[in-house]
Every structure is written in C-alpha cells, then in structure tokens.
Amino acid sequence: MLTQEDLRISTLGPRRRLSPLRHLHEGPRSFVPDDRRVMYHIEYCHDEVINPLGFEKAGPREQLYFDPAECRAAIVTCGGLCPGLNNVIRNLYYKLHSDYGVPSILGIRDGYLGLNPELGEPPIELTDQMVTQIHHQGGTILGTSRGPQDPAVMVDYLQELGVNLFFPIGGDGTQKGAHLIAQEVERRGAKIAVVGVPKTIDNDIKFCYRSFGFVSAASEAEVVIDRAHVEAKSTPRGVGLVKLMGREAGFIAAAATIASGEVNFALIPEVPFTLEELLPKLERRLEARGHAVIVVAEGAGQDLLEHEQGLDKSGNRRLGDIGHFLKHAITDHFKELGKPASVKYLDPSYHIRSVTANAADSLLCEMFARCAVHAAMAGKTDLFIGLWNNRPVHVPLKVSVGQVKRMEPQRDLWSAVLATTGQEKW
C-alpha cells in the first residue's frame, strides 16, 4: 500500500537561485509549487472520503538548486529502439541550452556502456547543428546497448566529466540502472541530479499511463495488420498471423487490434490460451468466412514452447518464438484435417520500433523532456517523469523499478478487444 512518504521526491539540497524562466517570455510566468499534487485516485463515489494520496506535479520551479551557467548535462539512451528517442534528445538539448543557458550538453554513446571508459566510446558534445533535424529520423543518434554497468564506475566517469545533470532515457532496466546511479551519488554526497525519461513501446512502465513511442508503434502495427488481412482474404482459407512486441504486457497487440478492426484472435501474455482452445475456434472461423487474422504478442503462449531458459543482457527472461510455433501448429493442424490453410506470417517487431514518432508521441516527448529538465535544475533526483491522470508527475524510481505494468483482463481495454474480434473468452 503506497503512502505519501513513498512518493516523496529526493532533492540535492535547498534551492536559492531564481529561475531564468521568469524573464523568458513576456508576462508573468506560472511556476509549480512543490506541494502541488496529482491525485493517485482520481475517481470516488458520492459521500466517500477522498484519499489525498498524490504524486508531486512536474513542471518549472521558481527557485533552482543549480546555477545553469555552471552546469554540464549528459543524456544517454539505453535498451531497444523506440519511436521518439531523437525527439527526447533534441528537446532536452533545447530546453537545457536555449531556455536555461546550460553551456555544455554531452551525449553518452551506446547506452550505459558509454559510461564505462574502458569499454565505451567517448561522449560527444551536442550542438544546435547536430540536433536540429534528428526528430525526423528513427532510432537514436547516440546509439544504444543493453545490460548494466558498475554504478561506481559510471558515477566515477560522470564526476570525471563534470556532469551534474544526468538524463537516462529507457525502460525498466534503464531506470533500475538510474536508481543505482542515484544511490551511489547519494552515498558519495555528490551533486548530480538523476532524472529519467521512461521509454518502452510495450507501455509497461509502472506509474506512467502512456510512454512515448507507444502510439507510433501501435499505429504502424495497425498498418501491418491491415496488410495481413489483405493477404488472408486473397487466398482460400488464408490466415494472416502477425507477431507484435509485448514481452510481459499485451498493450500494443490490444491497441493495434482495436485500431485495425480486422483481427479475429488476439493473444496476449496476460490471458493464457491453449491450442485445444484456439484451433477449434479457428476452424469455425475459416468454415464461416474463409479467412482469419491472428495477432499474437511475443510473450504470449510461452508455456506452450520448449526453449532455452534464462535471462538476456537486460535481465529479461528469454522468450521462445511464439510466432513460428503458431505458424507450424496451424499449418500442421489443418493439413491433418485434410483442409490445408495458407498461413502468411508477418513479424514487424523491429520495423515498428524504428519508425519516427507521430504527432501524438512528438508532443509527449517534448513534455517529458521539458519536465525532466525542470526537475533536474531544481535539484530533484532519483526519479523519472511519469504521466498520471493526464498530468506530468515526478515518480520516485524506488517505487516503480521492477514493478512492471500489466493489462488487466477484467478492465475495458480487454473487453474492447473481445468485442472487436468476436473471439470468445478462453
């Protein structure tokens, strides 16, 4: 059970400098006081006692901890690619350099590997010319990698570089690393603000309603599903099978299924299924309509597979290939029935995560980056910028890392999938 103390944000010390944002635009500037909260429970019943638990609202503070002119910032991108990474880098740079006047902003190369000077490439100094057009391209100009590095080594290097504002962009594994860095900084009594920006197309970061890149990835996945539908319709007893990302959570599969409206079966990690349930339903669908479309999240049906166990470099469990498994299972099943099915298998996983961010995600990237800079300049640390009840908030890393968000099958999103597909509950 969360308490208000759990949601308290760590700071490096008292703030004594007035923000330069006071004079950035004409007219009075609106600042966010530290006691402004975004309610954890936004809904309540009539006559119910309202729970005041809430996250600290993100936004500009009137007083700063750091003198911007004496600051040096560093940005790192970690883990898999995601639409919008370059947008976040660009917006962090402009907010730091143009609004606050921070003179030096470093780009750390190839994820946390770049914070180990014995293994990684040296950082690059970001410039206006370097970042001005990067939001029009996918991927990350800084490069990325998976896997942790020793927090002591990373903090040594940050101190050697003279960095006091650090922005790690990445998913749960990245934010775990950021938390370890912040703890090491605190242990040393160093003055480095660690403020993360959550990134995952799986949309599975706790206390962040929507992470950047998710909508862009789901939109691109919708296009692939529609192509699979065309393939399925164009062949007698055609089956379009699309595997999408989603290791532990089925948000992309669900969102793309609803957006497309052409899916007949959606399979996600949160709702177990068996071939004994799926195949008879698929038989009935083919007999009735002559074609079908199946969407499966990569983490679904893992209990059906025999595959290498263990963890990958990011600490995630290794997954078997549910897409190839289903393709062969469906093909073999209908061949045995004497009614062969033509299965067209599409795996756009790396395609959908490498596209550029759409308008919705570009706006979210800008907000996350802007709020991250405000938080760091105010000396706030060991947090990431979340989105809660459609408001940007400060989320302590300690309450989020390792607490991966899942779809709840009893909620409206999965009910919408069932209604859209017409598939029965298993």
Side-chain angles (χ1 to χ4, degrees):
M1 184 68 130
L2 281 177
T3 67
Q4 196 61 59
E5 179 60 23
D6 293 328
L7 301 183
R8 184 179 61 83
I9 298 300
S10 300
T11 63
L12 296 175
R15 307 197 299 264
R16 299 189 175 94
R17 298 171 177 83
L18 289 176
S19 170
L21 301 186
R22 294 177 303 126
H23 309 298
L24 189 61
H25 305 291
E26 293 184 4
R29 177 66 192 244
S30 176
F31 292 97
V32 178
D34 275 348
D35 60 358
R36 181 72 56 82
R37 296 284 184 269
V38 174
M39 292 179 64
Y40 185 85
H41 300 286
I42 194 172
E43 298 180 5
Y44 64 94
C45 296
H46 182 62
D47 292 334
E48 181 182 355
V49 176
I50 298 175
N51 186 343
L53 180 68
F55 290 100
E56 184 177 285
K57 187 177 180 182
R61 268 43 181 183
E62 188 168 13
Q63 291 184 305
L64 307 182
Y65 177 80
F66 290 107
D67 180 349
E70 298 177 357
C71 283
R72 191 176 212 188
I75 303 168
V76 66
T77 54
C78 305
L81 296 183
C82 178
L85 281 167
N86 283 330
N87 300 63
V88 177
I89 295 168
R90 182 177 187 266
N91 285 302
L92 284 171
Y93 173 85
Y94 281 129
K95 180 58 65 174
L96 287 161
H97 185 68
S98 301
D99 287 6
Y100 279 100
V102 173
S104 177
I105 300 138
L106 298 178
I108 304 300
R109 305 292 300 279
D110 302 326
Y112 284 144
L113 191 69
L115 287 178
N116 185 333
E118 294 186 1
L119 300 176
E121 297 292 326
I124 56 176
E125 186 80 39
L126 297 179
T127 65
D128 284 33
Q129 184 176 9
M130 188 179 297
V131 304
T132 182
Q133 295 294 317
I134 62 174
H135 57 305
H136 295 306
Q137 64 190 63
T140 164
I141 63 165
L142 300 180
T144 184
S145 66
R146 294 188 182 275
Q149 297 294 321
D150 185 344
V153 171
M154 293 191 286
V155 175
D156 281 345
Y157 196 43
L158 288 172
Q159 290 185 300
E160 181 183 328
L161 293 170
V163 168
N164 43 23
L165 308 171
F166 181 53
F167 302 97
I169 308 169
D172 186 65
T174 303
Q175 303 310 326
K176 286 179 184 176
H179 183 47
L180 293 174
I181 289 172
Q183 289 180 311
E184 179 65 17
V185 167
E186 182 182 21
R187 187 186 68 78
R188 298 183 185 196
K191 301 301 180 182
I192 303 174
V194 180
V195 180
V197 178
K199 173 233 70 175
T200 167
I201 63 171
D202 288 354
N203 201 36
D204 60 357
I205 293 181
K206 193 77 169 177
F207 305 124
C208 187
Y209 177 74
R210 178 164 65 89
S211 52
F212 76 85
F214 171 70
V215 172
S216 300
S219 298
E220 200 69 18
E222 177 197 356
V223 174
V224 176
I225 292 170
D226 291 343
R227 299 296 177 267
H229 183 232
V230 172
E231 287 284 351
K233 287 196 307 180
S234 301
T235 307
R237 299 178 63 80
V239 177
L241 174 61
V242 181
K243 186 180 80 170
L244 298 176
M245 285 188 167
R247 299 184 59 88
E248 309 291 344
F251 290 107
I252 286 185
T257 290
I258 296 169
S260 170
E262 303 293 355
V263 179
N264 307 112
F265 302 94
L267 311 174
I268 63 172
E270 296 90 337
V271 181
F273 71 95
T274 66
L275 292 180
E276 290 74 21
E277 294 168 319
L278 174 64
L279 294 175
K281 291 177 170 53
L282 182 56
E283 287 179 32
R284 292 195 291 271
R285 166 69 192 185
L286 292 181
E287 291 298 323
R289 300 298 297 274
H291 70 279
V293 176
I294 303 172
V295 167
V296 58
E298 61 180 330
Q302 292 298 304
D303 58 311
L304 307 178
L305 308 178
E306 294 182 4
H307 61 93
E308 180 185 356
Q309 302 296 318
L311 304 177
D312 62 17
K313 289 183 179 180
S314 296
N316 301 313
R317 62 174 180 143
R318 296 186 184 277
L319 299 180
D321 194 331
I322 187 62
H324 278 293
F325 173 81
L326 285 178
K327 177 185 177 182
H328 292 296
I330 293 168
T331 301
D332 293 344
H333 175 75
F334 284 99
K335 185 177 180 180
E336 290 177 5
L337 290 179
K339 298 178 179 180
S342 177
V343 181
K344 302 297 191 295
Y345 176 48
L346 292 83
D347 180 358
S349 300
Y350 292 101
H351 170 75
I352 68 172
R353 75 178 195 173
S354 61
V355 300
T356 55
N358 63 15
D361 277 329
S362 295
L363 291 170
L364 193 59
C365 289
E366 190 281 331
M367 183 185 72
F368 280 153
R370 168 168 34 95
C371 291
V373 172
H374 291 324
M377 293 304 306
K380 297 179 182 294
T381 189
D382 201 9
L383 69 111
F384 72 75
I385 304 300
L387 185 67
W388 197 252
N389 294 328
N390 207 33
R391 300 288 191 277
V393 297
H394 296 153
V395 180
L397 290 174
K398 65 181 180 181
V399 304
S400 177
V401 295
Q403 303 294 318
V404 182
K405 182 173 66 176
R406 301 282 188 269
M407 270 186 60
E408 299 178 42
Q410 67 273 23
R411 302 294 289 272
D412 283 350
L413 181 59
W414 185 243
S415 295
V417 170
L418 295 178
T420 300
T421 60
Q423 74 187 55
E424 307 163 26
K425 293 183 179 180
W426 305 124

